[in-house]
């Protein structure tokens, strides 16, 4: 199995994540899309590490996981705060910055 | 030479001006040192009458007249003392005060009292004073009589300043002064809007000419660094022909404006809106001849530029025919006389442009014309005075019996302008025609024939005017019952001027080297016997002129004495209609200058509102519009921001990819 198939899979996963972020209104689902995109890039990093035979990509993937874990904490906290304030988890209802 | 003047500038007394030109000006002494009174007396009169206001109503007009006569007496005394000196010492220079002292430019105000300026001084003060006397009668019942005399005095002062100034800049002061007086007096009855418009028209047309004069003075300053006559005359000898031509042409433009010469002639006819004494003094005898004075005074410049001289002659020839043709069709007595003035000044310009052969005759004709034309204008005023201010000659006729003095004096002027021997015009105009025939190639034929034909047309229109007014059947309007002769205050000046019209030519022009020639020749550095021979024998020319004059007068007699003059002007052929409309000069001015000017200003306004303002406000509108549209992007939806970010990333990646 060629390594390029991993890249295809990563691309497909990233696209699914991006479309999820763009199309879904529920903040939790959007958040899941973001996680999917992060993991798709992780897959791409690991694959390229394998291709080049270096450890750089794997190191960065580990960093991404750590940062994503931290981000999930902050992001879920924000979502909870918005849900409490507006009784809704829809991202479209949080449009206070609109003129 | 100029440094000498400046070096002595601190010396309080009159300063000698040593000249390298034809004339050496001596220090003014004796009575000549009081020549400033020439200008000061009438200026004082104007000041008293204008500042004094109504308190001077009673004695003002008389005072103004006396001061004008006083000016004449001063002029006469100066001339007598001048005549007592040898030819070379006649020109005197009177230093008045240090006028402009800026950096390296020093200009003193002074008077140049040479035979040329004194000839003008005598004409202006004598005719001017006679017209003051005449106005005492003519304006007797006018409520603003005092103002009228104040303006007349102002005019005389400005005109005397013009002709006695010793520099172009001081001449310019007088030049503007007479323009102001002319404007004030044309619009004297300015409660009539048409008269006020006529005054403005004269002023604006003169402004075009004045611009030419001021540009000429600027070129002089640029070329020579000085603007006084002595320095300019000396500098002209070494100046480049191009600069002299430029100076000459701009001086001519100034002369054309003031003297109503083609193409700035349109204002003179309308200027007849002023009271008739004004027409006689300013618009016939003196102010309109200032252009001739300017050209003759600047002879050093014109002699250095044959091109400019040729243009002067061409302008003179065109104007003399133009005025003559217009004069043939005018039914308004004063406007016919105005056209005649224009034509006669055309003769003077032509003579002035011919060079040394013509200068003396230009001045000679100017002097005689000043007498007979002023006399005829006063006659016209006398006719109007007796005929309820009627000016339409078709409603005159048969006035010979009721206004005998006016008729007789007018006849002297008429015979003089026709050039019938031995009346004044014969001596001066005939000499100009003769001088116009001197030269080589095509010029003597073209200009000589123009002058000759002009004499014939002049005879026709002046006879037409004379016959329509004083002879034939009575065609008076119903409101006129008893036309009457004018009072003595009016008729005596007319008689004096008529006397001048008879004898002045013979006095000044008789003999091989006439009195006027020997008087003026030193000014121009002409030695006797330098004139050329005309291309046709002088006797033949004289004969031809007389035949043409007789033919013109005869034709006028047939049409306006023998035949009945219609009271309503007949429709006339195309030429008549064109001449009645001043050969469409107003239409030409309107089409060539006024309309394009209006379009120019309108397009400038359009460019300003649409272009300049449009650019500024358009920029603002563009920013507002763009920001309104950009604002819509800020919709507050997180998803659309995310899309923008994604699109941005894709574009950047795509760009990087393409670059690689």
């Amino acid at each position: 199995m060629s390594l390029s198939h991993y890249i295809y899979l990563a691309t497909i996963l990233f696209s699914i994540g991006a479309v999820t972020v763009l199309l879904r209104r529920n903040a939790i689902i959007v958040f899941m899309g973001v996680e999917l995109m992060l993991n798709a890039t992780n897959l791409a990093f690991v694959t390229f590490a394998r291709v080049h035979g270096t450890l750089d990509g794997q190191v960065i993937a580990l960093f991404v996981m750590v940062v994503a874990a931290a981000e999930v904490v902050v992001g879920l906290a924000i979502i909870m705060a918005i849900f409490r304030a507006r009784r809704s988890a829809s991202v479209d209802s949080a449009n206070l910055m609109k003129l | 030479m100029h440094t000498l003047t400046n070096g002595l500038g601190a010396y309080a007394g009159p300063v000698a001006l040593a000249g390298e030109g034809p004339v050496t000006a001596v220090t003014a002494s004796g009575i000549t040192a009081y020549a400033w009174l020439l200008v000061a007396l009438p200026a004082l009169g104007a000041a008293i009458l204008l500042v004094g206001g109504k308190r001077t109503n009673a004695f003002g007009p008389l005072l103004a007249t006396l001061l004008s006569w006083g000016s004449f007496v001063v002029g006469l005394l100066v001339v007598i003392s001048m005549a007592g000196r040898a030819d070379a010492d006649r020109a005197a220079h009177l230093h008045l005060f240090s006028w402009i002292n800026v950096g390296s430019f020093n200009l003193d105000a002074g008077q140049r009292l040479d035979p040329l300026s004194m000839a003008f001084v005598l004409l202006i003060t004598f005719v001017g004073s006679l017209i003051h006397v005449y106005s005492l009668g003519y304006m007797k019942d006018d409520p603003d009589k005092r103002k009228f005399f104040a303006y007349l005095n102002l005019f005389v002062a400005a005109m005397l300043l013009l002709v006695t100034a010793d520099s172009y800049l001081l001449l310019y002061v007088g030049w503007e002064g007479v323009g102001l007086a002319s404007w004030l007096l044309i619009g004297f009855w300015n409660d009539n809007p048409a008269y006020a418009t006529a005054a403005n028209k004269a002023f604006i047309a003169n402004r075009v000419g004045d611009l030419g004069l001021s540009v000429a003075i600027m070129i002089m300053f640029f070329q020579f660094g000085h603007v006084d006559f002595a320095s300019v005359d000396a500098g002209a000898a070494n100046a480049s022909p191009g600069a002299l031509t430029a100076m000459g042409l701009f001086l001519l433009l100034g002369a054309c404006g003031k003297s109503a010469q083609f193409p700035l002639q349109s204002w003179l006819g309308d200027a007849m809106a002023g009271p008739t004494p004004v027409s006689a003094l300013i618009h016939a005898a003196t102010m309109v001849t200032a252009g001739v004075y300017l050209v003759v005074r600047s002879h050093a410049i014109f002699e250095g530029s044959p091109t400019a001289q040729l243009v002067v002659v061409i302008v003179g020839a065109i104007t003399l025919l133009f005025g003559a043709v217009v004069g043939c069709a005018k039914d308004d007595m004063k406007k016919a006389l105005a056209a005649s003035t224009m034509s006669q000044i055309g003769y003077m310009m032509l003579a002035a442009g011919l060079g040394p052969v013509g200068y003396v005759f230009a001045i000679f004709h100017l002097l005689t014309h000043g007498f007979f034309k002023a006399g005829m204008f006063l006659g016209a005023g006398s006719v109007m005075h007796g005929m309820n201010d009627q000016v339409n000659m078709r409603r005159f006729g048969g006035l010979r019996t009721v206004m005998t003095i006016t008729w007789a004096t007018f006849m002297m002027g008429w015979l003089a302008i026709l050039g019938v021997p031995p009346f004044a015009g014969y001596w001066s105009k005939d000499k100009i025609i003769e001088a116009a025939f001197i030269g080589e190639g095509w010029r003597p034929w073209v200009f000589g024939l123009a002058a000759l034909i002009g004499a014939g047309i002049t005879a026709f229109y002046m006879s037409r005017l004379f016959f329509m007014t004083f002879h034939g059947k009575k065609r008076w309007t119903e409101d006129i019952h008893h036309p009457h002769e004018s009072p003595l205050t009016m008729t005596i000046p007319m008689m004096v001027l008529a006397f001048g019209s008879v004898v002045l030519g013979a006095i000044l022009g008789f003999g091989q080297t006439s009195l006027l020639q020997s008087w003026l020749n030193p000014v121009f550095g002409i030695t006797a016997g330098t004139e050329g021979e005309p291309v046709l024998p002088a006797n033949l020319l004289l004969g031809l002129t007389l035949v043409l004059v007789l033919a013109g007068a005869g034709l006028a007699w047939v049409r306006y004495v023998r035949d009945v003059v219609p009271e309503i002007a007949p429709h006339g052929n195309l030429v008549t209609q064109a001449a009645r409309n001043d050969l469409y000069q107003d239409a030409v001015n309107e089409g060539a200058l006024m309309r394009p000017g209006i379009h120019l200003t309108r397009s400038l306004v359009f460019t300003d509102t649409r272009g300049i303002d449009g650019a500024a406000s358009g920029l603002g509108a563009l920013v507002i519009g763009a920001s309104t549209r950009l604002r819509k992007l800020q919709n507050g939806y997180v998803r659309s921001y995310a899309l923008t970010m994604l699109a941005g990333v894709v574009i950047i990646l795509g760009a990087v990819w393409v670059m690689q």
Side-chain angles (χ1 to χ4, degrees):
Chain A
M1 200 161 77
S2 162
L3 286 171
S4 60
H5 289 101
Y6 291 97
I7 300 299
Y8 293 144
L9 178 64
T11 310
I12 291 164
L13 285 174
F14 186 89
S15 302
I16 293 171
V19 168
T20 310
V21 168
L22 292 180
L23 296 184
R24 298 302 295 262
R25 286 197 185 86
N26 191 318
I28 305 292
I29 307 291
V30 169
F31 213 64
M32 283 164 64
V34 171
E35 290 304 315
L36 199 56
M37 286 158 74
L38 285 170
N39 282 312
T41 42
N42 272 349
L43 182 56
F45 275 125
V46 173
T47 309
F48 282 120
R50 184 83 184 165
V51 169
H52 295 299
T54 57
L55 288 176
D56 295 0
Q58 297 189 21
V59 170
I60 292 176
L62 280 172
F63 271 111
V64 170
M65 278 182 220
V66 173
V67 173
E71 175 246 331
V72 165
V73 173
V74 176
L76 279 176
I78 292 171
I79 292 168
M80 284 298 290
I82 289 173
F83 182 78
R84 282 191 184 151
R86 312 187 70 86
R87 291 279 124 204
S88 157
S90 167
V91 286
D92 284 0
S93 61
N95 60 354
L96 282 176
M97 283 177 73
K98 186 183 173 187
L99 281 166
Chain B
M1 172 169 57
H2 196 81
T3 47
L4 173 65
T5 318
N6 289 336
L8 294 172
Y11 170 55
V15 174
L17 196 71
E20 295 157 17
V23 180
T24 310
V26 299
T27 309
S29 57
I31 178 68
T32 316
Y34 294 96
W36 55 272
L37 282 171
L38 283 173
V39 181
L41 287 179
L44 177 73
I48 291 174
L49 265 63
L50 287 175
V51 176
K54 284 181 185 142
R55 270 161 294 178
T56 59
N57 268 355
F59 62 92
L62 210 59
L63 177 75
T65 312
L66 285 177
L67 285 171
S68 181
W69 278 113
S71 204
F72 169 70
V73 170
V74 174
L76 196 63
L77 291 174
V78 172
V79 169
I80 289 170
S81 86
M82 190 181 280
R85 296 198 293 269
D87 278 4
D89 299 333
R90 279 194 181 146
H93 180 262
L94 174 58
H95 176 265
L96 294 176
F97 54 88
S98 174
W99 186 20
I100 298 173
N101 212 333
V102 185
S104 62
F105 181 70
N106 296 294
L107 184 64
D108 296 341
Q111 286 180 304
R112 170 180 262 214
L113 305 152
D114 61 4
L116 175 62
S117 56
M118 289 321 292
F120 270 86
V121 165
L122 283 192
L123 173 77
I124 295 159
T125 51
F126 186 65
V127 176
S129 303
L130 281 179
I131 288 172
H132 273 81
V133 173
Y134 178 90
S135 305
L136 286 175
Y138 190 83
M139 303 295 283
K140 191 161 61 102
D141 302 322
D142 197 286
D144 286 329
K145 192 164 81 160
R146 172 184 57 82
K147 249 199 287 183
F148 181 81
F149 277 87
Y151 296 158
L152 270 191
N153 260 3
L154 177 69
F155 169 77
V156 171
M159 191 70 203
L160 289 171
L161 182 64
L162 194 164
V163 296
T164 60
D166 72 338
S167 67
Y168 282 97
L169 208 58
L170 195 59
L171 176 145
Y172 194 74
V173 174
W175 190 269
E176 293 300 312
V178 292
L180 168 70
S182 163
W183 177 75
L184 287 169
L185 286 166
I186 296 171
F188 187 70
W189 290 315
N190 56 14
D191 46 319
N192 181 336
Y195 292 1
T197 311
N200 288 342
K201 184 177 176 184
F203 198 74
I204 291 164
N206 267 293
R207 206 107 303 278
V208 178
D210 295 351
L211 191 71
L213 179 55
S214 61
V215 170
I217 294 174
M218 287 174 208
I219 300 175
M220 280 168 205
F221 178 66
F222 180 70
Q223 282 287 321
F224 309 131
H226 298 289
V227 294
D228 57 307
F229 292 143
S231 304
V232 171
D233 284 356
N238 305 318
S240 70
L244 289 176
T245 305
M247 266 181 257
L249 291 180
F250 279 113
L251 284 174
L252 176 65
L253 181 63
C256 283
K258 200 55 95 196
S259 292
Q261 297 292 291
F262 183 83
L264 294 174
Q265 80 287 18
S266 65
W267 62 272
L268 189 60
D270 291 313
M272 296 300 122
T276 308
V278 172
S279 310
L281 178 61
I282 301 185
H283 305 118
T286 55
M287 185 192 85
V288 286
T289 57
V292 182
Y293 172 77
L294 184 68
V295 172
V296 173
R297 178 54 91 195
S298 314
H299 65 96
I301 291 171
F302 283 97
E303 278 162 17
S305 166
T307 318
Q309 269 186 322
L310 179 63
V311 178
V312 173
V313 179
I314 291 172
V315 164
I318 292 178
T319 314
L320 86 86
L321 290 175
F322 191 107
V325 170
V326 170
C328 290
K330 288 284 177 192
D331 289 331
D332 180 323
M333 189 179 192
K334 284 180 73 182
K335 287 197 174 174
L337 283 172
S340 157
T341 304
M342 198 191 289
S343 168
Q344 297 301 310
I345 296 170
Y347 272 104
M348 298 169 207
M349 274 289 175
L350 187 145
L354 289 173
V357 289
Y359 296 144
V360 174
F361 302 132
I363 302 302
F364 189 13
H365 195 53
L366 196 155
L367 297 175
T368 55
H369 173 261
F371 272 78
F372 61 69
K373 186 55 68 63
M376 283 193 283
F377 260 112
L378 296 189
S382 172
V383 169
M384 285 163 64
H385 195 70
M387 296 287 278
N388 279 355
D389 285 336
Q390 172 73 268
V391 288
N392 185 359
M393 295 191 292
R394 293 189 183 277
R395 305 313 297 262
F396 289 162
L399 288 173
R400 182 176 63 91
T401 47
V402 287
M403 297 184 184
T404 325
I405 301 175
T406 307
W407 167 75
T409 55
F410 203 99
M411 186 161 71
M412 300 301 131
W414 169 63
L415 290 170
I417 194 171
L418 254 57
V420 176
F423 294 89
Y426 158 75
W427 300 92
S428 53
K429 194 156 74 174
D430 199 65
K431 287 286 185 190
I432 291 180
I433 295 172
E434 202 180 304
F437 271 104
I438 297 174
E440 288 165 3
W442 56 274
R443 291 185 195 181
W445 295 103
V446 172
F447 300 133
L449 282 177
L452 195 60
I453 294 167
I457 308 179
T458 305
F460 172 72
Y461 71 75
M462 284 313 297
S463 310
R464 170 179 181 269
L465 190 152
F466 182 67
F467 291 146
M468 272 173 109
T469 307
F470 293 103
H471 293 266
K473 286 211 178 66
K474 294 172 185 173
R475 303 180 298 274
W476 308 341
T477 45
E478 289 73 22
D479 57 328
I480 295 162
H481 304 295
H482 300 290
H484 54 86
E485 184 56 279
S486 304
L488 275 181
T489 45
M490 288 168 70
T491 49
I492 288 177
M494 285 155 59
M495 288 185 244
V496 175
L497 289 171
F499 182 69
S501 310
V502 179
V503 299
L504 190 67
I507 292 175
L508 293 178
F510 188 75
Q512 190 61 37
T513 302
S514 64
L515 179 63
L516 194 69
Q517 273 173 312
S518 57
W519 177 252
L520 285 178
N521 276 349
V523 180
F524 308 120
I526 305 171
T527 45
T530 51
E531 308 100 71
E533 279 297 310
V535 289
L536 292 174
N539 287 336
L540 178 65
L541 285 178
L542 177 59
L544 271 175
T545 314
L546 286 179
V547 167
L548 275 172
V549 165
L550 276 181
L555 182 64
W557 185 83
V558 168
R559 290 194 55 180
Y560 300 104
V561 179
R562 203 191 61 185
D563 297 352
V564 176
V565 181
E567 287 179 9
I568 308 293
H571 195 247
N573 57 22
L574 280 177
V575 181
T576 315
Q577 287 173 23
R580 262 184 213 144
N581 289 315
D582 303 313
L583 300 180
Y584 303 117
Q585 58 189 14
D586 287 332
V588 169
N589 283 350
E590 205 175 300
L593 301 170
M594 192 195 90
R595 293 262 163 77
I598 287 177
H599 284 302
L600 180 68
T601 52
R602 274 191 196 148
S603 58
L604 283 178
V605 169
F606 184 81
T607 315
D608 185 44
T609 52
R610 295 293 165 86
I612 313 284
D613 292 4
S617 52
L619 190 66
L622 188 72
V623 171
I624 292 172
S627 56
T628 312
R629 285 188 181 80
L630 277 175
R631 202 173 64 182
K632 295 221 170 93
L633 292 175
Q634 305 293 327
N635 55 9
Y637 293 121
V638 177
R639 287 178 300 136
S640 71
Y641 298 153
L643 179 63
T644 312
M645 282 165 69
L646 183 68
V649 169
V650 169
I651 289 168
I652 290 171
L653 286 180
V656 170
W657 185 61
V658 168
M659 299 265 195
Q660 283 175 346

